[in-house]
Structure formats: structure tokens, C-alpha cells
Amino acid sequence: MTAPQSQGEAGAGVGVTGGRYGEDLFEPELPGEADRIDAAALVYDPVTFRRLRALGAGPGMRCLEVGAGTGTVARWLVEEADVDEVVALDRDTSALAHLEGPRLRALAADLTDEGLRPGGFDLIHARFVLMHLPTRRRLISRLAGWLNPGGRLVLGDAVDVPNVLDDSSAYRRTMDAMWRALRETIGTDISSVPAYPHFLREEGLREVAAELYCPPLVAGGPAARFWSQTWSRMRPELERAGRDHADALDEALAYLAAPELAELGPGMAMAWGTRR
Ligand SMILES: C[S@@+](CC[C@H](N)C(=O)[O-])C[C@H]1O[C@@H](n2cnc3c(N)ncnc32)[C@H](O)[C@@H]1O
């Protein structure tokens, strides 16, 4: 199957300004970056685990966890799902070293490296990774190609469901400015996430399906903490995106911590399919 390029997918693997995840934004060595990733993991892990379990994650499987981050999913696959082997791939494996063992191997590698050949897998999972990589359509094709017969590819990425009646609140302006700044800085793009089921079909996978989960945004809760940490980390990019954005950002950050907070926050769409 060929991998049609989605809009804006020039194949460069970088953002409009040439930036990359982990180099020009979200550098793993920055203080608090592992906490920020863990705040999201706390929100989404139960949903991810439920789906992987329903898709049969269990003994006998060789699994690839793509962009493994702090390793919560890789660890669950070994310790709870009891799979045979997990390869936890990330450009930065510093948060994975302490998890390594006979059934969990950390692989320091760049997913966009065309020479990468990690072998065949019965389960491949990538969460909040492809959205940050401009060559995502090509990468879905390559990931599908690494599936053993009967193997499953499971993709989770962000979706936003904005309130169309609100185009002026500090919250909305900050969220919109964030997506714009992410796109311009490192090439993040969530616009094609709803198309993932189609992409999986184009790759010849069967039993394709998808679901959407938006965690409650509650002041002081993990989802609000994640957005607060993300916006704070991106303050320079957000302020560059709009000269007057500093005030809106401070107001939006205060709103995330206030009892008045009342929003349907962004969520995660998961799409999956099985190799014939
Ligand atoms: C937003 S974090 C998500 C971490 C984890 N999947 C989770 O959901 O908790 C994105 C991860 O992808 C990794 N990553 C980004 N670009 C990558 C690339 N080109 N190759 C491999 N890993 C990459 C980052 O280092 C980071 O750990």
C-alpha cells in the first residue's frame, strides 16, 4: 500500500521553523519534563490499558512501545499484561533505564530514521508521538509494516473539541495559540488524528475501529495540571505567537486552577487495526 501524504507533510520530519520534539521544545533534561509526561500518563493510562487488554495484550506477544516516554505503558505490558517481550523505543531512553529487565528492553532510536528495522511485533502502540512528527502518515505505514500476521497497531493521539461559541476567552485563545505554536515550532499537527482509522484501512489492516476519551478538566486534577505545565513550559513560544498573549496566558493558567473552571478539555482518540 502506498502512503498518501497528508496536507503539510513534506517529509522533512521537522516543524515549519525546523524544530524537533525533544530538541527545540519539551527537552527531556529540563526540570519537570518527566512530571509533565507523567501527569498525562496518569490521566490516560487507565484508558490505554483497558483498550490494550480488550485487544488481547497478553502472554506470547512481542510488543513495541513507540515513544515510550517514562515507560508507564511498557511497564504495564510486562508486569500486568504479562507479555513475553517489550521493546520500549524512544529518542531519549533516560527515563526507561531503571525499567529494563529480561523482558523489557529500552531502544534509543529515532522513529523517523528510515534505516530503523526493529523486527516483527504482535502489538505496536504509539501514544502522543505521531502527532508531533510531521511525517506521521509515512510512519503509520512503516509501523504497519512491522506487524506480524495477526498483529495489532494501536495509535493514540490528541484531539481538541473546541466550544465554537467561545472564540475570545483566555482559555480558548491560549489553547488555540498552543496548537499554533506547536505546529510552527516542531510540526505538531492533530488535524489528521480523526483520519487515523482511514489510514489504517489504507495500510490493509482489518477490524479497524476507534474511540475518543476526553478526561474531565477539574481544577487541581491531573488533566488541568498537565495543561498548566505545558502552557507554562511554552510561555516563550506562546508569547511569540501573540504580542499581547502574556496577560491571556496568566488568566488562562489561573482559570485552570479555579473552581469556576468549566470546559470540555482536549482528549485522546485511539485507533487500531489488525494485520491479516
Ligand atoms: C508526549 S511524549 C509521550 C510519551 C508516552 N508515549 C506517553 O504517552 O506517556 C512523546 C515521546 O515521544 C518521544 N519522541 C519524540 N520524537 C521521537 C522520535 N522521532 N523517535 C522516537 N521517539 C520520539 C519523546 O522523546 C517522548 O518520550
Side-chain angles (χ1 to χ4, degrees):
M1 283 274 166
T2 53
Q5 291 198 333
S6 58
Q7 206 182 6
E9 185 173 321
V14 293
V16 173
T17 56
R20 303 196 74 193
Y21 188 107
E23 286 176 7
D24 302 278
L25 201 61
F26 307 138
E27 298 88 328
E29 62 279 7
L30 287 179
E33 182 55 15
D35 277 357
R36 194 184 68 85
I37 301 289
D38 275 344
L42 199 62
V43 172
Y44 291 105
D45 273 354
V47 181
T48 300
F49 298 163
R50 200 163 53 239
R51 178 49 50 200
L52 294 180
R53 178 82 78 191
L55 290 172
M61 286 188 158
R62 179 168 195 257
C63 308
L64 177 66
E65 172 63 4
V66 178
T70 58
T72 58
V73 176
R75 181 182 187 161
W76 178 86
L77 283 167
V78 169
E79 293 183 0
E80 303 296 328
D82 200 21
V83 302
D84 282 14
E85 185 190 350
V86 177
V87 175
L89 181 155
D90 205 293
R91 279 178 74 204
D92 180 86
T93 54
S94 52
L96 299 168
H98 72 287
L99 296 175
E100 283 203 273
R103 290 189 293 144
L104 197 161
R105 179 164 69 93
L107 173 62
D110 187 332
L111 186 63
T112 64
D113 173 359
E114 289 280 335
L116 186 63
R117 305 243 185 295
F121 297 93
D122 307 301
L123 175 68
I124 299 178
H125 172 248
R127 186 176 72 182
F128 302 135
V129 183
L130 297 179
M131 59 187 263
H132 294 300
L133 301 174
T135 53
R136 62 192 67 80
R137 181 65 190 86
R138 161 86 187 133
L139 292 171
I140 290 172
S141 191
R142 290 181 62 220
L143 291 174
W146 295 342
L147 287 174
N148 291 332
R152 292 203 152 101
L153 175 58
V154 185
L155 307 175
D157 260 328
V159 282
D160 199 358
V161 193
N163 168 13
V164 294
L165 303 178
D166 171 16
D167 60 3
S168 61
S169 72
Y171 168 86
R172 189 67 254 158
R173 282 161 53 211
T174 301
M175 197 62 96
D176 289 347
M178 178 199 73
W179 295 122
R180 224 174 23 250
L182 278 173
R183 186 179 184 136
E184 286 165 7
T185 312
I186 56 172
T188 303
D189 187 358
I190 61 169
S191 64
S192 65
V193 175
Y196 283 6
H198 288 221
F199 294 164
L200 295 176
R201 284 291 302 166
E202 286 166 8
E203 293 307 323
L205 302 191
R206 60 184 168 82
E207 294 163 16
V208 171
E211 66 185 332
L212 176 63
Y213 172 68
C214 292
L217 257 189
V218 180
R225 198 166 75 243
F226 172 76
W227 291 116
S228 178
Q229 289 172 341
T230 301
W231 292 349
S232 300
R233 169 127 302 161
M234 291 183 67
R235 182 179 282 276
E237 288 78 17
L238 291 173
E239 288 180 359
R240 259 201 306 279
R243 269 174 307 167
D244 65 340
H245 208 83
D247 290 347
L249 175 55
D250 288 333
E251 189 184 334
L253 284 168
Y255 180 54
L256 279 184
E260 293 74 34
L261 178 63
E263 301 293 341
L264 175 61
M268 173 175 71
M270 290 183 87
W272 59 89
T274 307
R275 161 77 46 222
R276 286 173 208 276

Coordinates of all heavy atoms in Angstrom, one line a residue, residues 199-269:
F199 N -6.4 5.8 7.6 CA -5.0 5.4 7.3 C -4.8 4.0 7.6 O -4.1 3.3 6.8 CB -4.1 6.3 8.1 CG -4.1 7.8 7.8 CD1 -3.6 8.7 8.7 CD2 -4.7 8.3 6.7 CE1 -3.6 10.1 8.5 CE2 -4.8 9.6 6.4 CZ -4.2 10.5 7.3
L200 N -5.3 3.4 8.6 CA -5.1 2.0 9.0 C -5.7 1.1 7.9 O -5.1 0.1 7.6 CB -5.6 1.7 10.4 CG -5.0 2.5 11.5 CD1 -5.6 2.2 12.9 CD2 -3.5 2.1 11.6
R201 N -6.9 1.5 7.4 CA -7.5 0.7 6.4 C -6.7 0.8 5.1 O -6.5 -0.2 4.4 CB -8.9 1.3 6.0 CG -10.0 1.0 7.0 CD -10.4 -0.5 7.0 NE -10.8 -1.0 5.7 CZ -11.0 -2.3 5.4 NH1 -10.6 -3.2 6.3 NH2 -11.4 -2.6 4.2
E202 N -6.1 2.0 4.8 CA -5.3 2.1 3.6 C -4.1 1.2 3.7 O -3.5 0.8 2.7 CB -4.8 3.6 3.5 CG -5.9 4.5 3.0 CD -5.6 6.0 3.1 OE1 -4.4 6.3 3.5 OE2 -6.5 6.8 2.9
E203 N -3.6 0.9 4.9 CA -2.5 0.0 5.1 C -2.9 -1.4 5.1 O -2.1 -2.3 5.3 CB -1.8 0.3 6.5 CG -1.2 1.7 6.5 CD -0.2 1.9 5.4 OE1 0.5 1.0 5.0 OE2 -0.2 3.1 4.9
G204 N -4.2 -1.7 4.8 CA -4.6 -3.1 4.6 C -5.0 -3.8 5.9 O -5.2 -5.0 5.9
L205 N -5.0 -3.0 7.0 CA -5.4 -3.6 8.3 C -6.9 -3.9 8.3 O -7.7 -3.2 7.6 CB -5.0 -2.7 9.5 CG -3.5 -2.4 9.6 CD1 -3.2 -1.7 10.9 CD2 -2.6 -3.6 9.3
R206 N -7.3 -4.9 9.1 CA -8.7 -5.2 9.2 C -9.2 -5.0 10.6 O -8.3 -4.7 11.5 CB -9.0 -6.6 8.7 CG -8.3 -7.7 9.5 CD -8.5 -9.1 9.0 NE -7.5 -10.0 9.6 CZ -7.7 -10.6 10.8 NH1 -8.7 -10.3 11.6 NH2 -6.7 -11.4 11.3
E207 N -10.5 -5.2 10.9 CA -11.0 -4.9 12.2 C -10.6 -3.6 12.7 O -10.2 -3.4 13.9 CB -10.6 -6.0 13.2 CG -11.2 -7.4 12.8 CD -10.5 -8.5 13.5 OE1 -9.8 -8.3 14.5 OE2 -10.7 -9.7 13.0
V208 N -10.7 -2.6 11.9 CA -10.3 -1.2 12.3 C -11.4 -0.5 13.1 O -12.6 -0.7 12.7 CB -10.0 -0.4 11.0 CG1 -9.8 1.1 11.4 CG2 -8.7 -0.9 10.3
A209 N -11.1 0.1 14.2 CA -12.1 0.8 14.9 C -11.4 2.0 15.7 O -10.1 2.0 15.7 CB -12.8 -0.1 15.9
A210 N -12.1 2.8 16.3 CA -11.6 4.0 17.0 C -12.5 4.4 18.1 O -13.7 4.1 18.1 CB -11.3 5.1 16.1
E211 N -11.9 5.1 19.1 CA -12.7 5.6 20.2 C -12.1 6.9 20.7 O -10.9 7.2 20.4 CB -12.8 4.7 21.4 CG -11.5 4.4 22.1 CD -11.6 3.3 23.2 OE1 -12.7 3.2 23.7 OE2 -10.6 2.7 23.4
L212 N -12.9 7.7 21.4 CA -12.4 9.0 21.9 C -12.7 9.2 23.4 O -13.8 8.8 23.9 CB -13.3 10.1 21.1 CG -13.1 11.5 21.4 CD1 -11.7 12.0 21.1 CD2 -14.1 12.4 20.6
Y213 N -11.7 9.7 24.1 CA -11.9 9.9 25.5 C -11.4 11.3 25.9 O -10.2 11.7 25.6 CB -11.1 8.9 26.3 CG -11.1 9.2 27.8 CD1 -12.2 9.1 28.6 CD2 -9.9 9.6 28.4 CE1 -12.2 9.4 29.9 CE2 -9.8 9.8 29.8 CZ -11.0 9.8 30.5 OH -11.0 10.1 31.9
C214 N -12.3 12.1 26.5 CA -11.9 13.5 27.0 C -11.9 13.4 28.5 O -13.0 13.3 29.1 CB -12.8 14.5 26.4 SG -12.6 14.8 24.7
P215 N -10.8 13.5 29.1 CA -10.8 13.4 30.6 C -11.4 14.7 31.2 O -11.2 15.8 30.6 CB -9.3 13.3 31.0 CG -8.6 13.9 29.8 CD -9.4 13.7 28.6
P216 N -12.1 14.6 32.3 CA -12.6 15.8 33.0 C -11.5 16.8 33.3 O -10.5 16.4 33.8 CB -13.3 15.3 34.3 CG -13.4 13.8 34.1 CD -12.3 13.4 33.1
L217 N -11.8 18.1 33.0 CA -10.9 19.1 33.4 C -11.4 19.7 34.8 O -12.4 20.4 34.8 CB -10.9 20.3 32.4 CG -9.7 20.4 31.4 CD1 -9.8 21.7 30.7 CD2 -8.4 20.3 32.1
V218 N -10.7 19.3 35.8 CA -11.1 19.7 37.2 C -9.9 20.5 37.8 O -8.7 20.0 37.7 CB -11.4 18.5 38.0 CG1 -11.8 18.9 39.4 CG2 -12.5 17.7 37.4
A219 N -10.2 21.6 38.4 CA -9.1 22.4 39.0 C -8.3 21.5 39.9 O -8.9 20.9 40.8 CB -9.6 23.6 39.7
G220 N -7.0 21.5 39.8 CA -6.1 20.7 40.6 C -6.0 19.3 40.2 O -5.2 18.5 40.7
G221 N -6.8 18.8 39.3 CA -6.8 17.4 38.8 C -5.6 17.3 37.8 O -5.0 18.2 37.4
P222 N -5.3 16.0 37.5 CA -4.1 15.7 36.6 C -4.2 16.3 35.2 O -3.2 16.8 34.7 CB -4.0 14.2 36.6 CG -5.3 13.7 37.1 CD -5.9 14.8 38.0
A223 N -5.4 16.4 34.6 CA -5.5 16.9 33.3 C -5.2 18.4 33.3 O -4.5 19.0 32.5 CB -6.9 16.7 32.7
A224 N -5.8 19.1 34.3 CA -5.5 20.6 34.4 C -4.1 20.8 34.7 O -3.4 21.8 34.2 CB -6.4 21.2 35.5
R225 N -3.5 19.9 35.5 CA -2.1 20.1 35.9 C -1.2 19.9 34.6 O -0.3 20.7 34.4 CB -1.7 19.0 36.9 CG -0.4 19.4 37.6 CD -0.1 18.6 38.9 NE 0.3 17.3 38.7 CZ -0.3 16.2 39.0 NH1 -1.5 16.3 39.7 NH2 0.1 15.0 38.8
F226 N -1.6 18.9 33.8 CA -0.8 18.7 32.5 C -0.9 20.0 31.6 O 0.2 20.4 31.1 CB -1.4 17.5 31.8 CG -0.7 17.4 30.4 CD1 0.5 16.9 30.3 CD2 -1.4 17.7 29.3 CE1 1.1 16.8 29.0 CE2 -0.9 17.6 28.0 CZ 0.4 17.1 27.9
W227 N -2.1 20.5 31.4 CA -2.1 21.7 30.5 C -1.4 22.9 31.2 O -0.8 23.7 30.5 CB -3.6 22.0 30.2 CG -4.2 21.0 29.3 CD1 -5.2 20.1 29.6 CD2 -3.7 20.6 28.0 NE1 -5.4 19.3 28.6 CE2 -4.5 19.5 27.6 CE3 -2.7 21.1 27.2 CZ2 -4.3 18.9 26.3 CZ3 -2.5 20.5 25.9 CH2 -3.3 19.4 25.5
S228 N -1.6 23.0 32.5 CA -0.9 24.1 33.2 C 0.6 24.0 33.0 O 1.3 25.0 32.7 CB -1.3 24.1 34.6 OG -0.7 25.0 35.3
Q229 N 1.2 22.8 33.1 CA 2.6 22.6 33.0 C 3.0 22.8 31.5 O 4.1 23.4 31.3 CB 3.0 21.2 33.4 CG 2.9 21.0 34.9 CD 3.1 19.5 35.4 OE1 3.0 18.6 34.6 NE2 3.4 19.3 36.6
T230 N 2.2 22.4 30.6 CA 2.5 22.5 29.2 C 2.5 24.0 28.8 O 3.5 24.5 28.1 CB 1.5 21.7 28.3 OG1 1.6 20.3 28.7 CG2 1.8 21.8 26.8
W231 N 1.5 24.7 29.2 CA 1.4 26.2 28.8 C 2.6 26.9 29.5 O 3.2 27.8 28.9 CB 0.1 26.8 29.3 CG -1.1 26.3 28.5 CD1 -1.1 25.5 27.3 CD2 -2.5 26.5 28.8 NE1 -2.4 25.2 26.9 CE2 -3.2 25.8 27.8 CE3 -3.1 27.1 29.8 CZ2 -4.6 25.8 27.8 CZ3 -4.5 27.1 29.9 CH2 -5.3 26.5 28.9
S232 N 2.9 26.6 30.7 CA 4.0 27.3 31.4 C 5.3 27.0 30.7 O 6.1 27.9 30.5 CB 4.1 26.9 32.9 OG 2.9 27.1 33.5
R233 N 5.5 25.8 30.3 CA 6.7 25.4 29.6 C 6.8 26.2 28.3 O 7.9 26.5 27.8 CB 6.7 23.9 29.3 CG 7.7 23.4 28.4 CD 8.5 22.3 29.0 NE 9.2 22.7 30.2 CZ 9.7 21.8 31.1 NH1 9.5 20.6 30.9 NH2 10.3 22.3 32.2
M234 N 5.6 26.4 27.6 CA 5.6 27.0 26.3 C 5.5 28.5 26.4 O 5.2 29.2 25.3 CB 4.5 26.4 25.5 CG 4.7 25.0 25.1 SD 3.4 24.4 24.0 CE 3.6 25.3 22.5
R235 N 5.6 29.1 27.5 CA 5.4 30.6 27.6 C 6.1 31.4 26.6 O 5.5 32.2 25.9 CB 5.8 31.1 29.0 CG 5.5 32.5 29.3 CD 5.9 33.0 30.7 NE 4.9 32.6 31.7 CZ 3.8 33.3 32.0 NH1 3.5 34.4 31.3 NH2 3.0 32.9 32.9
P236 N 7.4 31.1 26.3 CA 8.1 31.9 25.3 C 7.5 31.8 23.9 O 7.3 32.8 23.2 CB 9.6 31.4 25.3 CG 9.7 30.6 26.6 CD 8.3 30.2 27.0
E237 N 7.1 30.5 23.5 CA 6.5 30.3 22.2 C 5.1 31.0 22.1 O 4.8 31.5 21.1 CB 6.4 28.8 21.9 CG 7.7 28.1 21.7 CD 8.5 27.8 22.9 OE1 7.9 27.8 24.0 OE2 9.7 27.5 22.8
L238 N 4.4 30.9 23.3 CA 3.0 31.5 23.3 C 3.1 33.0 23.2 O 2.3 33.6 22.5 CB 2.3 31.0 24.5 CG 1.9 29.5 24.5 CD1 1.3 29.1 25.9 CD2 0.9 29.2 23.4
E239 N 4.1 33.5 23.9 CA 4.2 35.0 23.8 C 4.7 35.5 22.5 O 4.3 36.5 22.0 CB 5.1 35.5 25.0 CG 4.4 35.3 26.3 CD 5.2 35.7 27.5 OE1 6.4 36.2 27.3 OE2 4.7 35.6 28.6
R240 N 5.5 34.6 21.8 CA 5.9 35.0 20.5 C 4.7 34.9 19.5 O 4.6 35.7 18.6 CB 7.0 34.0 20.0 CG 8.4 34.6 20.1 CD 9.4 33.9 19.1 NE 9.5 32.4 19.3 CZ 10.2 31.8 20.3 NH1 10.8 32.5 21.2 NH2 10.2 30.5 20.4
A241 N 3.8 33.9 19.8 CA 2.7 33.7 18.9 C 1.7 34.9 18.9 O 1.0 35.2 17.9 CB 1.9 32.5 19.3
G242 N 1.7 35.7 20.0 CA 0.8 36.9 20.0 C 1.4 37.9 21.0 O 1.6 37.5 22.2
R243 N 1.6 39.1 20.5 CA 2.3 40.1 21.4 C 1.6 40.3 22.7 O 2.2 40.6 23.7 CB 2.5 41.4 20.6 CG 3.8 41.4 19.8 CD 3.9 42.7 19.0 NE 2.6 42.7 18.2 CZ 2.2 43.8 17.5 NH1 2.9 44.9 17.5 NH2 1.1 43.7 16.8
D244 N 0.3 40.2 22.7 CA -0.5 40.5 23.9 C -0.8 39.3 24.7 O -1.7 39.3 25.5 CB -1.8 41.2 23.5 CG -2.7 40.3 22.7 OD1 -2.2 39.3 22.1 OD2 -3.9 40.5 22.7
H245 N -0.1 38.2 24.4 CA -0.5 36.9 25.0 C -0.2 36.7 26.4 O -0.8 35.8 27.1 CB -0.1 35.7 24.1 CG -1.1 34.6 24.3 ND1 -2.3 34.5 23.6 CD2 -1.1 33.5 25.2 CE1 -2.9 33.4 24.0 NE2 -2.3 32.8 24.9
A246 N 0.8 37.4 27.0 CA 1.2 37.2 28.3 C 0.0 37.3 29.3 O -0.1 36.5 30.2 CB 2.3 38.2 28.7
D247 N -0.8 38.3 29.2 CA -1.9 38.5 30.1 C -2.9 37.4 30.0 O -3.4 36.8 30.9 CB -2.7 39.8 29.8 CG -1.8 41.0 30.3 OD1 -0.8 40.8 31.0 OD2 -2.1 42.2 29.9
A248 N -3.2 37.0 28.7 CA -4.2 35.9 28.5 C -3.7 34.6 29.1 O -4.4 33.8 29.7 CB -4.4 35.7 27.0
L249 N -2.4 34.4 28.9 CA -1.8 33.2 29.5 C -1.9 33.1 31.0 O -2.3 32.1 31.5 CB -0.3 33.1 29.0 CG 0.5 31.9 29.6 CD1 -0.2 30.6 29.3 CD2 1.9 31.9 29.0
D250 N -1.6 34.2 31.6 CA -1.7 34.2 33.1 C -3.2 34.0 33.5 O -3.4 33.3 34.5 CB -1.2 35.6 33.7 CG 0.4 35.6 33.5 OD1 1.0 34.5 33.6 OD2 0.9 36.7 33.4
E251 N -4.1 34.6 32.8 CA -5.5 34.5 33.1 C -5.9 33.0 32.9 O -6.7 32.4 33.7 CB -6.3 35.4 32.2 CG -7.8 35.5 32.6 CD -8.6 36.4 31.7 OE1 -8.0 37.3 31.0 OE2 -9.8 36.1 31.6
A252 N -5.5 32.4 31.8 CA -5.8 31.0 31.5 C -5.3 30.1 32.5 O -5.9 29.1 32.9 CB -5.3 30.7 30.1
L253 N -4.0 30.3 33.0 CA -3.4 29.5 34.0 C -4.2 29.6 35.3 O -4.4 28.6 36.0 CB -1.9 29.9 34.2 CG -1.0 29.5 33.1 CD1 0.4 30.2 33.3 CD2 -0.8 28.0 33.1
A254 N -4.6 30.8 35.7 CA -5.4 31.0 36.9 C -6.7 30.3 36.8 O -7.2 29.6 37.7 CB -5.6 32.5 37.2
Y255 N -7.3 30.3 35.6 CA -8.6 29.7 35.3 C -8.5 28.1 35.5 O -9.4 27.5 36.1 CB -9.1 30.0 33.9 CG -10.4 29.4 33.5 CD1 -11.5 29.6 34.2 CD2 -10.5 28.8 32.3 CE1 -12.7 29.1 33.8 CE2 -11.7 28.2 31.8 CZ -12.8 28.4 32.6 OH -14.0 27.9 32.1
L256 N -7.4 27.6 35.1 CA -7.2 26.1 35.2 C -7.2 25.7 36.7 O -7.4 24.5 37.0 CB -5.9 25.7 34.5 CG -5.8 25.5 33.0 CD1 -4.5 25.0 32.6 CD2 -6.9 24.5 32.5
A257 N -6.8 26.6 37.6 CA -6.7 26.3 39.0 C -7.9 26.8 39.8 O -7.9 26.6 41.0 CB -5.4 26.9 39.5
A258 N -8.9 27.3 39.1 CA -10.0 28.0 39.8 C -11.3 27.1 39.8 O -11.5 26.3 38.9 CB -10.4 29.3 39.1
P259 N -12.1 27.2 40.9 CA -13.3 26.4 41.0 C -14.3 26.7 39.8 O -15.2 25.9 39.5 CB -13.9 26.8 42.3 CG -13.0 27.8 42.9 CD -11.8 28.0 42.1
E260 N -14.1 27.9 39.2 CA -15.0 28.3 38.1 C -14.7 27.5 36.8 O -15.5 27.6 35.8 CB -14.9 29.8 37.7 CG -15.4 30.7 38.8 CD -14.5 30.8 40.0 OE1 -13.2 30.7 39.8 OE2 -14.9 30.9 41.1
L261 N -13.6 26.8 36.8 CA -13.2 26.0 35.5 C -14.4 25.2 35.0 O -15.0 24.4 35.8 CB -12.0 25.1 35.8 CG -11.5 24.3 34.7 CD1 -11.0 25.1 33.6 CD2 -10.4 23.4 35.2
A262 N -14.8 25.4 33.8 CA -15.9 24.6 33.2 C -15.6 24.5 31.7 O -16.0 25.3 30.9 CB -17.2 25.4 33.4
E263 N -14.9 23.4 31.3 CA -14.5 23.2 29.9 C -14.6 21.7 29.6 O -14.3 20.9 30.4 CB -13.1 23.7 29.6 CG -12.9 25.2 29.9 CD -13.6 26.1 29.0 OE1 -14.0 25.7 27.9 OE2 -13.8 27.3 29.4
L264 N -14.9 21.4 28.3 CA -14.6 20.1 27.7 C -13.2 20.2 27.2 O -12.9 20.9 26.2 CB -15.6 19.8 26.6 CG -15.3 18.5 25.9 CD1 -15.4 17.3 26.8 CD2 -16.3 18.3 24.7
G265 N -12.2 19.6 27.9 CA -10.8 19.7 27.5 C -10.5 18.8 26.3 O -11.3 18.0 25.9
P266 N -9.3 19.0 25.8 CA -8.9 18.1 24.7 C -8.8 16.6 25.2 O -8.8 16.4 26.5 CB -7.4 18.6 24.4 CG -7.4 20.0 24.9 CD -8.3 20.0 26.1
G267 N -8.8 15.7 24.3 CA -8.8 14.3 24.7 C -7.9 13.5 23.8 O -7.0 14.0 23.2
M268 N -8.1 12.2 23.9 CA -7.3 11.3 23.1 C -8.2 10.4 22.2 O -9.1 9.8 22.7 CB -6.4 10.4 24.0 CG -5.7 9.3 23.3 SD -4.6 8.3 24.3 CE -5.8 7.3 25.3
A269 N -7.9 10.3 20.9 CA -8.5 9.4 20.1 C -7.6 8.2 19.9 O -6.4 8.4 19.7 CB -8.8 10.0 18.7

